Amino acid sequence: MTGTEDPLAAADLRGWALRLVRVLARLDWPGLTAAGLLVGAAAAWAQAASARLAVLDAAGRTTAVSAALADSRAAVPTLFGWSALAAVLTVVGLAFGVLPGLYVAAVTTAALPGAVVVERAGLPHAAGLANRRLGGTAARFAVGLFAAALYGAIVGTVVAAAPAPVDDAVRALAALPLTLAGTAFTVVTYAGLRRSADGAGTADLAAELDPP
């Protein structure tokens, strides 16, 4: 079968464009949208609960995972919505100028989960916090990005060397440390931004999680 006859492989730009349109037309958009929403909501729920657990644990208040999940439900729609908007803005920013996209990514990673879960605020407030210490936030984001890239490269090397099905197990297990490190990065960075903005400490953040 030649490239022009293949339903996916194209020999030229016109053929690539035609195949792209055909694939998009054949996709199950309702099903994919529903699946995407479910995955996004689950990720937002896990992120909100993890941030809550990290703040309460740092404040000396041991909390069960089930309780953190239950208490974080109200923050899920807000975090999911702002995260989706931030993802779109990041892609647009990267497409039209790398720095705007990196800026949105840095704000989203460093301050958005904390702003939503602790303060019940959104992306504009998270940007305001990050802007107060923009240089420091950018430096921390760069360190985190480099560490994540290095970790990914190491894991990729190990996965490539591992036989099947061990490679799949290594890939799945390797995601957990990165997720935990991401939560720690977000909470610690947000706490530093809050300290700089209004003098709030860990005990204050924990108290704000459950206002009277």
Side-chain angles (χ1 to χ4, degrees):
M1 181 177 290
T2 64
T4 55
E5 297 172 345
D6 193 279
L8 293 179
D12 53 31
L13 183 61
R14 180 177 178 275
W16 171 83
L18 289 174
R19 284 160 176 77
L20 182 62
V21 172
R22 290 169 185 166
V23 169
L24 289 173
R26 287 196 297 265
L27 289 177
D28 179 13
W29 285 103
L32 289 174
T33 301
L37 290 174
L38 288 174
V39 171
W45 195 0
Q47 190 175 33
S50 298
R52 182 181 181 87
L53 276 173
V55 171
L56 292 177
D57 181 71
R61 294 169 52 184
T62 303
T63 305
V65 173
S66 57
L69 286 169
D71 293 336
S72 300
R73 285 179 298 181
V76 173
T78 305
L79 183 57
F80 177 45
W82 282 118
S83 297
L85 175 60
V88 172
L89 293 176
T90 299
V91 171
V92 172
L94 291 174
F96 291 95
V98 176
L99 288 180
L102 291 177
Y103 168 76
V104 177
V107 169
T108 303
T109 306
L112 182 60
V116 172
V117 175
V118 178
E119 300 179 80
R120 295 158 188 81
L123 187 60
H125 180 68
L129 289 174
N131 289 342
R132 287 175 174 269
R133 293 175 59 185
L134 188 56
T137 302
R140 288 162 174 77
F141 177 71
V143 171
L145 193 62
F146 175 78
L150 179 61
Y151 179 77
I154 294 173
V155 170
T157 302
V158 174
V159 168
V166 177
D167 55 345
D168 291 331
V170 172
R171 188 181 294 109
L173 291 174
L176 180 59
L178 189 62
T179 301
L180 295 176
T183 298
F185 173 87
T186 295
V187 171
V188 172
T189 307
Y190 167 75
L193 293 174
R194 280 295 306 277
R195 171 74 79 177
S196 176
D198 55 23
T202 302
D204 300 306
L205 301 184
E208 290 178 27
L209 286 171
D210 299 305

